[in-house]
Amino acid sequence: MLKGLRWRLTALFLLAGFGLILLVSGGAYGLVSYYFQATTDLALQRKMALGLSTLGYELPAELAAADRAWSASRPTVAVPTSSEHEDGETHESSDDEGGSRNYYDTDLAPIYLVALDRAGRLVSLPGTTLTAPSDIPAAQAALAAGTDWRTVVFNGTRFRLLTYRLDEGRALQAGRALADQDQILSQLLLGLLGVGLASLLALGLGSWWLAGRSLGPAQQAWARQ
């Protein structure tokens, strides 16, 4: 009878520990996944703002706000520029005579811009490429609604896309491949599973010992009777 009770106590302890492990592991995975999506979406908005500015379009309010948030929170690396002085020597400087700076933002490097017409054909515009994947339904949705967010799959790779309407017949689409993020999330998931299984094994042994220790006085009383 007491042995059956020990098994039930062990199962109860193990179930409580499993719930805690699941909560912590799921929370860690969810936080990393949310961070990736939030930073990716902000970077897409920043790239879209740069693209629209290059083409001479006024920024929508949400893009202007995202552009300010990006500039305020993300560090940039100054790219030195060469300038020749009166002494004939060439000097490198990150500031030009007007005080402006040239920056290269590594977080925006994986993001590309493509321009599409209503039929889904790629259009050559300054700052855009003709060799990156594009999504016609996203462009058509943006032409109808003004903007469109979606995640699509091209050749087995997930892409996050942000599309804005340029005019009645063209749309600008910013995209980023999520292969690197998916790889990190997969590795994180495998690591969490490994830690979770090891923790469950240790928890099972500890629960069995703890249940036996809890039932020790009852076992002794039963033996005396």
Side-chain angles (χ1 to χ4, degrees), residues 79 81 93-103:
V79 178
T81 57
S93 173
S94 59
D95 295 286
D96 57 23
E97 295 180 355
S100 61
R101 298 190 175 202
N102 294 320
Y103 290 105

Side-chain angles (χ1 to χ4, degrees), residues 141-160:
L143 287 173
T147 183
D148 180 78
W149 283 99
R150 68 181 61 197
T151 302
V152 298
V153 178
F154 295 126
N155 297 325
T157 300
R158 293 195 313 129
F159 283 77
R160 184 67 170 164

Side-chain angles (χ1 to χ4, degrees), residues 19-136:
L20 181 62
I21 293 173
L22 189 63
L23 180 63
V24 173
S25 300
Y29 185 89
L31 284 175
V32 174
S33 179
Y34 173 78
Y35 171 78
F36 279 153
Q37 180 170 339
T39 54
T40 296
D41 288 353
L42 185 60
L44 286 171
Q45 289 178 308
R46 165 70 169 175
K47 188 75 171 184
M48 181 64 68
L50 292 175
L52 291 177
S53 297
T54 299
L55 296 174
Y57 287 88
E58 183 179 355
L59 294 183
E62 66 273 12
L63 283 186
D67 190 48
R68 290 191 298 269
W70 179 273
S71 300
S73 63
R74 307 291 292 187
T76 52
V77 180
V79 178
T81 57
S82 298
S83 59
E84 186 172 344
H85 288 239
E86 294 179 357
D87 55 7
E89 296 183 0
T90 300
H91 302 272
E92 289 190 349
S93 173
S94 59
D95 295 286
D96 57 23
E97 295 180 355
S100 61
R101 298 190 175 202
N102 294 320
Y103 290 105
Y104 175 73
D105 199 326
T106 56
D107 293 301
L108 297 183
I111 301 176
Y112 62 86
L113 285 175
V114 293
L116 301 93
D117 62 13
R118 187 174 296 277
R121 295 184 294 264
L122 292 176
V123 180
S124 179
L125 291 176
T128 65
T129 180
L130 297 175
T131 59
S134 59
D135 188 74
I136 298 176

